[in-house]
Amino acid sequence: MKARQNRRRGFARLAAATLLVSGVLGLAISPASAHDEPADHAPDAENPQIVGDDGSRQIVVVEVNGLIDPIMASYIKREIATAQGRHAIGVVLQVESAGTTLDDPELVELLDNVRLAHLPVGVWVGPSGAQALGGAAHLVTMADFAAIAPGGRIGDFAAVQGLIHAHGPDAERFHRHDDGLHSGTSVRYFDAESAMGEGLIHSTAPSIGEFIFAMSDAGYLPPIGQNVTGDDGVVRRAPAPDVVVKFVKLPLLDGLFHTAASPAVAYLLLLAGLSLLLLDFYTGGIGVAAVVGALCGLLSAFGLGTLDIRPWAVALLIAAFVAFAVDIQTGVPRFWTAVGGVALLVSSLLLFGQHSMSWIPLVVGLVMVGVFVLSGMPALVRTRYGTATVGRDWLIGVEGTAVTDIDPDGTVEVHGAQWRARVNRLTPLQAGEPLRVSGFSGVVLEVEPLEGAAVDYREIRKKRADAPVSETE
């Protein structure tokens, strides 16, 4: 039996994965600024002849989805700088965000990049139903031109140290607010109409196309539209032939880490990673589950390191899986399974601080772990260690020593490895007493004393009944 080797290998994998996760939790992201030398921007509607390298007039639309984390902030600054370098006539940020994970200096740096860009920057909160909350709401107020799609909203303004709210000709629309909307914390929310009434945005726009035309009509972009008559005879407004609207989004790898930094994904990745590590610890296979579990743990660690979490809740969640492991070894959910369940529930509910998580991923995660611990793992352990295909018949008849009193359950040592054991035929054993393995049930050995074992007469009668009768009888 190579149980001790399997356990050592499992502990080594678990330790390695833990070290990797701990290392990632210590990483800090410090994206570089996208501006070399910010300067005040004033709309230049009198110079519509600025064109891109290919002769077209480009408008870059940058998709800003999810929490604005360091990856997204760096991406926004980089795209603004790239658009400036390619002589684009404007940049539009299409925002759908519930807030940011940035600290105040990082958020101020991002807002300054938008506020002091060398080309017009607009922010459209859309499509319908989109929102820009917290730091994302400040992003709306920093733009040269801002609009909200019908059904959208902004609000939940938080105090940001060092934030300058006004610039250029729009300074008055910020200075006339004295209710702490920008200088302090406000949980007020504004739909499109009320935001316009408060002077927080310039217009409403149901689509990105309407927003770009409104931005041009307001003088922040050069004239870009033309009237086109369709096949049905209806005259519609369309971009001029030399106007190119370019949509950009996060690259694949950046998008992967940005997705991992959302509360729901980081939470589910953590549960999946711990479950897979626990699975590999008991299967003793080639380590595929451990590798996948470690990758899930790394992505989760990156996300949790970006979000506002409670470290003690993470520790409690990991402790819950340790408690699950104790009872999984016995093959039957008992006291430690209940302890792990309570720890898992409490840690899941209190894991995040400022950043909240909806109840859907919470329920999915709890149900997933419950099925895994209460049904999947016990069935796997019974199947793997309760059949002859594992090659453990050689244990029957092997001698060992009782580590604890066995009456009727206890711990024994056989070939240098400790096992859970149950005395055969209820003959008690004292600690240190020699014994013999008579069978096994799941991962529990059935043992008996070397001498004086109780005799089961039912088995004797069965053997006599099965014995062949000789012809002389």
Side-chain angles (χ1 to χ4, degrees):
M1 178 61 194
K2 299 182 180 179
R4 183 166 58 180
Q5 295 179 359
N6 287 337
R7 291 186 181 185
R8 286 178 178 175
R9 179 172 57 181
F11 278 121
R13 291 172 181 163
L14 189 60
T18 303
L19 288 175
L20 288 173
V21 170
S22 301
V24 173
L25 282 172
L27 292 178
I29 300 176
S30 55
S33 172
H35 279 290
D36 295 330
E37 198 174 300
D40 288 336
H41 163 74
D44 188 9
E46 298 179 357
N47 184 20
Q49 302 304 319
I50 299 177
V51 296
D53 296 335
D54 59 353
S56 64
R57 295 187 292 167
Q58 289 190 357
I59 301 172
V60 181
V61 179
V62 182
E63 295 185 16
V64 182
N65 297 320
L67 293 174
I68 301 177
D69 54 13
I71 290 179
M72 180 60 74
S74 178
Y75 170 68
I76 294 172
K77 293 183 288 185
R78 185 171 66 248
E79 288 299 328
I80 292 177
T82 301
Q84 292 175 167
R86 293 180 177 177
H87 307 293
I89 63 175
V91 172
V92 175
L93 304 181
Q94 180 178 337
V95 177
E96 162 62 285
S97 175
T100 75
T101 65
L102 307 175
D103 55 27
D104 284 358
E106 291 174 326
L107 180 57
V108 169
E109 181 183 1
L110 171 62
L111 297 176
D112 283 346
N113 272 263
V114 173
R115 183 173 65 90
L116 303 175
H118 292 278
L119 77 174
V121 177
V123 172
W124 179 58
V125 181
S128 178
Q131 60 183 0
L133 307 179
H138 288 296
L139 191 63
V140 175
T141 63
M142 289 296 104
D144 295 299
F145 187 81
I148 302 177
R153 65 173 184 169
I154 64 172
D156 196 14
F157 290 89
V160 180
Q161 185 176 3
L163 178 61
I164 300 175
H165 304 282
H167 69 285
D170 290 331
E172 184 178 354
R173 71 187 178 104
F174 299 103
H175 288 165
R176 66 188 180 86
H177 290 281
D178 57 0
D179 59 353
L181 182 61
H182 299 285
S183 60
T185 300
S186 172
V187 294
R188 295 176 59 187
Y189 297 95
F190 303 87
D191 58 15
E193 293 184 2
S194 59
M196 281 192 64
E198 292 290 336
L200 301 176
I201 62 174
H202 299 80
S203 177
T204 60
S207 66
I208 188 67
E210 294 293 335
F211 174 82
I212 293 175
F213 283 132
M215 191 172 177
S216 175
D217 294 340
Y220 292 93
L221 293 177
I224 60 172
Q226 63 178 356
N227 294 328
V228 177
T229 303
D231 296 336
D232 54 1
V234 177
V235 178
R236 295 181 177 86
R237 196 177 187 188
D242 63 336
V243 174
V244 175
V245 179
K246 180 181 178 182
F247 292 84
V248 295
K249 59 175 60 178
L250 277 172
L252 181 61
L253 186 59
D254 288 345
L256 175 64
F257 283 99
H258 174 65
T259 302
S262 65
V265 175
Y267 171 70
L268 293 176
L269 281 174
L270 179 60
L271 295 184
L274 292 174
S275 299
L276 289 172
L277 290 176
L278 188 60
L279 172 66
D280 185 81
F281 180 77
Y282 278 102
T283 56
I286 61 175
V288 175
V291 172
V292 177
L295 291 176
C296 291
L298 288 172
L299 288 173
S300 174
F302 174 84
L304 295 176
T306 303
L307 299 167
D308 178 23
I309 62 170
R310 297 181 175 92
W312 64 264
V314 177
L316 183 62
L317 194 149
I318 296 174
F321 278 82
V322 175
F324 291 146
V326 175
D327 276 354
I328 288 175
Q329 185 174 1
T330 66
V332 180
R334 295 179 181 175
F335 170 76
W336 287 107
T337 301
V339 172
V342 173
L344 175 64
L345 179 61
V346 172
S347 60
S348 298
L349 292 174
L350 301 178
L351 178 60
F352 296 103
Q354 176 185 356
H355 306 110
S356 60
M357 179 177 60
S358 69
W359 62 270
I360 296 178
L362 176 65
V363 172
V364 170
L366 294 176
V367 171
M368 178 185 71
V369 174
V371 172
F372 174 76
V373 171
L374 298 177
S375 178
M377 282 303 296
L380 176 65
V381 170
R382 287 193 298 267
T383 301
R384 180 170 179 80
Y385 299 111
T387 62
T389 57
V390 184
R392 299 168 66 190
D393 287 339
W394 64 273
L395 281 172
I396 298 178
V398 175
E399 297 181 3
T401 306
V403 177
T404 63
D405 292 341
I406 307 176
D407 187 18
D409 297 315
T411 305
V412 300
E413 183 173 327
V414 179
H415 276 234
Q418 291 190 356
W419 296 79
R420 297 277 298 174
R422 183 177 299 110
V423 70
N424 188 31
R425 308 182 190 93
L426 300 182
T427 304
L429 289 167
Q430 302 295 323
E433 187 175 349
L435 52 87
R436 180 187 299 109
V437 178
S438 60
F440 50 83
S441 175
V443 294
V444 179
L445 299 183
E446 295 179 356
V447 299
E448 62 183 6
L450 293 182
E451 298 180 359
V455 178
D456 192 339
Y457 290 97
R458 293 174 297 180
E459 294 184 3
I460 297 178
R461 287 196 296 268
K462 181 179 179 181
K463 292 180 180 179
R464 289 178 177 177
D466 294 338
V469 180
S470 63
E471 295 180 357
T472 56
E473 296 180 352

